[in-house]
Amino acid sequence: MTADLERALADRLGRLSGTEVVVSGLRKLTGGASRDTWEFEVTTPGGQPRRLVLRRDPPAEENPARMALEAAALREAARAGVPVPDVVDSSGEAPRTDIGGSYLIMGHVAGEAVPRRLFRDDRYRDARARMAYQMGRTLARIHTMAPERVPDLPRPEPLEDCFDKYVRQGRPVPTLDLAFRWLFDNRPRFAQRTVVHGDFRTGNLLVTPEGLAAVLDWELVHLGDPMEDLGWLCTPSWRFGSPEPAGGFGSREDLFRGYRDGGGREPDPATVRWWEVFGSLKWAVICRDQAARADSNPENRLELLAIGRRVAECEHDLLEAFDWPGSDVPDVEDDEPPEDLYGRPHLGELLGAVEDFVTEATRDADPVTRYRAKIAANVLSTAQREWRRGTSARTQHARALRDNGFTDEAELALAIRSGSVDVDKPEVAALIARGAAERLAVANPSYRTRLDGSAVQRNEPQRRARSTT
C-alpha cells in the first residue's frame, strides 16, 4: 500500500511540476479520526529535498468539495497573514487519481501539536507564556479573511444545525437537552459575520519554542460569529487538564488583548462564554456522531467508538458551567466486583490482563501502533469499570427514575425538552446529575479531578441556567 501511494504521489507531483519527482520516506502520522495524514519527502533532479504532508479522506467518506473548500481557505488565510502551510495540490483541482478521491497536499511546517508535550516539555515554557496572546492576534487575522475568496463558504445556523443533528442521532440525554434549552433561551445577538475557522483549538495548532507556527485543519471553515472561534478555543475539552482557559495556555484576558491588538473588535465575555457552553454541547454531539461512523471506517473503528464515550466529559463540563448540584458518585475503587456466575478469573481480571499485554507488547512499536494501543488500553479500562459497577448502577438509577415518574433517561430528556418538568426540583436536578456522573465514573473517572479549577468560569447568565430551562 505504501509503495503504491508513493508511486501515485510521484506521478501526480511530477505532472504538476513538469519534471521527474522521487517520493521517499512516506509514513503515516498518528491521530486523525476523520482523515488520514501522511508525511513524505520529494526530490527533483538538481533540487533540494522538500517535506510535504498529505491529508486524505477515508475511501467510504470521500468529500472532494469539502477538501477543495479547505484548500481555498488555506490560500486566503495565507493572503490575510495567518500562519498556515502552503497548498501544493488538492483533489478539487484534479481528476481522481490513485492518491484518492479527496486529498490535500501541503508544505510541511515544523512544530509540535500534541498537547501533553506542549504543556509539560520545558522547551515550550516560553511559548506557553506567549500563546494566549498570539492565538488572539491570529484569530483576529482569520476574521479579516475575505469570504468571497473562499467559494461555497458554508453559512450554517450552528445551534439549530447542532440540535437537528442531535435529534437525528436518536436516544436523547438529559444533560444535553438541558444545555440546548439554556442555549436557546440565552442566545446573544450576533453583531458581526466573518470567516470562522470552526476548529481553532489546541491540537490543531503547530507550536515551536517561539510560539504559534501554523493553524491546521480548516475543514470546518464557515461564515459566522467570530466569537465562536474564541469560545471554542476556551471550551474545557481543549484545555487538556490545564487550569488555563485559553486552550490550556493562558487567560481569557491575554487572549482578548491579543485579539484587540490584532485588529479584532472588543470581545464580549458573555458572548464568548455562551460559545464555550455551546462548544461543550457541540463536542458531545460530535462524539456521538463519531461513534456512529465507526462501522463505515474500519481502519479507525476503535478510536471512533472510544470517542463516543467522551460524551460523559462534556456532560460534566456542562453541569459545571451551570453550577449544577449533586453530581457526586462513589469512586470506582470503593465498589466490590459483583459475584460472577462464571467464576475465576472474573471478567475484570481478564480485561486487566489483556490491557497489560497490549501496553507491554506495543512498547517498542511504531508511533501509529503505540497510539492505537493506548486507545485500546483505555477502552479496556473503561470496560473493567463498567463491569465493576454497571449492574448495580443501572438498577439504582432506574429505580430513582421510576420513583420520579420517568420510565428511563430518554423520557426525562424529552420532558426537559418540552418544558414539562421542573428542573429546579432537587430530586429532578439530582437525577440529571447522577446519570451524568455515573457515566463519567466509568468513561474517565480522573477527568473530574484533572479539571479542578479549570471549569468554565461562572457568570450570572450561567448561574440562572436552572431557572430559565
Side-chain angles (χ1 to χ4, degrees), residues 26-37:
L26 181 67
R27 67 185 186 98
K28 191 172 185 179
L29 303 179
T30 58
S34 299
R35 287 178 172 171
D36 295 335
T37 304

Side-chain angles (χ1 to χ4, degrees), residues 198 209 228 269 291 293 359 369 441 460 463:
E228 179 183 348
R293 292 175 50 230
T359 302
T369 301
E460 282 305 315
R463 278 203 293 265

Side-chain angles (χ1 to χ4, degrees), residues 279-346:
S280 290
L281 182 57
K282 175 184 174 182
W283 178 230
V285 173
I286 291 173
C287 288
R288 284 160 58 102
D289 238 16
Q290 296 285 64
R293 292 175 50 230
D295 287 342
S296 65
N297 194 339
E299 187 172 356
N300 292 323
R301 185 169 185 267
L302 177 62
E303 182 176 5
L304 292 169
L305 290 172
I307 288 172
R309 286 297 182 102
R310 295 194 64 185
V311 174
E313 298 170 8
C314 302
E315 290 189 76
H316 173 270
D317 294 338
L318 288 165
L319 294 181
E320 284 287 296
F322 297 144
D323 202 16
W324 205 258
S327 58
D328 291 334
V329 295
D331 290 337
V332 173
E333 289 76 13
D334 293 341
D335 289 347
E336 289 296 324
E339 291 296 325
D340 196 337
L341 171 66
Y342 303 103
R344 296 287 302 275
H346 58 62

Side-chain angles (χ1 to χ4, degrees), residues 370-381:
R370 288 201 306 272
Y371 173 75
R372 290 178 171 172
K374 184 176 180 180
I375 295 171
N378 288 338
V379 167
L380 289 165
S381 291

